[in-house]
Amino acid sequence: VCSSDLFIFQTFCEILTFLHYSSKQLIPLVGILCNDPKASVKGTICLQLPLICQYFKSKDSILQYLNVLAKDVDTYVRMSVIFTIRKVFVMPELKSLYLEILQIMKKIVKEAYSTNNLQLLQEFSLDMGEIAITLAGAPNIFMKYGALLSA
């Protein structure tokens, strides 16, 4: 993928979020983009999910998309999922989904360890540090999620 194509697509995703699409229009489009054959498209739409999910009627929709994208074998797509999970952790409206979202991260990290994917492990380390900072104000919650990831 040409870098200018990726820039154009990223810009398109950002514009979508500002057009205030109704969830009826946006959800099918996001689903199509999450299943695109190109890893660059899937990774880019994943990175936009924190912005886009504010237009979802059901906040559970982000779980559906993260699960689909986490199953992709491409490292860029999986790195995008991990990065997106970090962004989700600063969104109080998604707090009820933290456990399920961390399960997605856990699957990716376990597979990264088993395949020795150093890029994914590095991304996880960076983003887990940010998540830890986000949760630092609530030590009980931090311990709960830390225990989940270590199990």
Side-chain angles (χ1 to χ4, degrees):
V1 168
C2 173
S3 62
S4 64
D5 290 345
L6 189 55
F7 175 76
I8 290 167
F9 182 71
Q10 269 182 310
T11 304
F12 170 72
C13 287
E14 290 170 10
I15 290 169
L16 275 179
T17 64
F18 294 108
L19 289 178
H20 302 288
Y21 269 64
S22 73
S23 59
K24 278 186 178 179
Q25 296 166 311
L26 194 56
I27 289 175
L29 178 60
V30 173
I32 290 167
L33 295 174
C34 285
N35 289 294
D36 193 272
K38 291 183 181 176
S40 58
V41 172
K42 291 184 274 195
T44 302
I45 195 65
C46 183
L47 294 172
Q48 300 303 316
L49 284 176
L51 289 172
I52 295 170
C53 81
Q54 63 186 318
Y55 301 107
F56 296 158
K57 209 172 204 172
S58 165
K59 297 300 178 194
D60 291 348
S61 297
I62 196 167
L63 282 176
Q64 172 191 348
Y65 298 125
L66 288 173
N67 271 310
V68 167
L69 293 164
K71 292 175 186 169
D72 197 280
V73 295
D74 186 83
T75 297
Y76 172 68
V77 175
R78 289 182 170 192
M79 286 174 64
S80 298
V81 171
I82 292 172
F83 183 81
T84 298
I85 287 172
R86 175 174 64 94
K87 292 293 186 187
V88 165
F89 264 81
V90 297
M91 300 174 72
E93 65 272 21
L94 297 176
K95 199 173 201 168
S96 64
L97 304 176
Y98 284 1
L99 281 174
E100 293 167 88
I101 290 170
L102 277 179
Q103 290 289 358
I104 296 167
M105 182 183 274
K106 184 177 179 178
K107 285 181 207 171
I108 293 172
V109 172
K110 276 188 167 185
E111 195 166 313
Y113 272 114
S114 68
T115 60
N116 201 27
N117 187 327
L118 299 179
Q119 282 182 295
L120 275 177
L121 295 173
Q122 181 180 14
E123 184 68 32
F124 167 72
S125 297
L126 293 170
D127 292 325
M128 195 58 212
E130 290 292 323
I131 290 171
I133 290 168
T134 302
L135 297 176
N140 291 340
I141 294 173
F142 178 75
M143 293 303 288
K144 176 180 171 182
Y145 296 134
L148 171 75
L149 283 172
S150 65

